[in-house]
Amino acid sequence: MSKIALLQAWYDDVWCAGNIDAIDRYMNAETVATGIMSEMQMGRDEFRDLVSAMRTLVEEVNVSLPQWIESGDWLAAIISVTAVRVDTQAPIVCTGQVMVRFEDDKMVETYNQFDYLSLFEQLGQFPPETLAICMTGQRLSWT
């Protein structure tokens, strides 16, 4: 299977279908993912928790990879995600990027960037236009 087909299968099985048991099929025990959360690396167990947590917020997840490039063991791809909010059924649209190194058809190293700011705005957890507000120097505060 090609690297892009493996990555798409990962998103389809794990993120779209919510099959956390499939994580072991795509990651080996030593796989480390960075960039998902600041200063935190994630392995298979942390991914199980992340996918479970995210799927309490969104459903009908669809992930596409509209652009990608392969070089040796590496694949870099743009990620396009659509979903709906669990609570309101409002649509969600976000993007990200990932770089993955493969060995023997498994991801062994990944570097991730995802627009969590936009995601959490669309989930109603941040105010609309949070980035623009922050760029003015204003601070967000919760009471």
Side-chain angles (χ1 to χ4, degrees), residues 10 14-15 20-24 27-33 36 40-53:
W10 154 263
V14 175
W15 288 98
I20 60 174
D21 293 332
I23 290 172
D24 294 344
M27 300 172 82
N28 67 29
E30 294 80 35
T31 300
V32 174
I36 297 165
M40 181 179 172
Q41 295 181 337
M42 299 184 105
R44 294 188 305 195
D45 291 338
E46 291 83 10
F47 258 103
R48 285 178 181 82
D49 294 340
L50 177 65
V51 171
S52 296

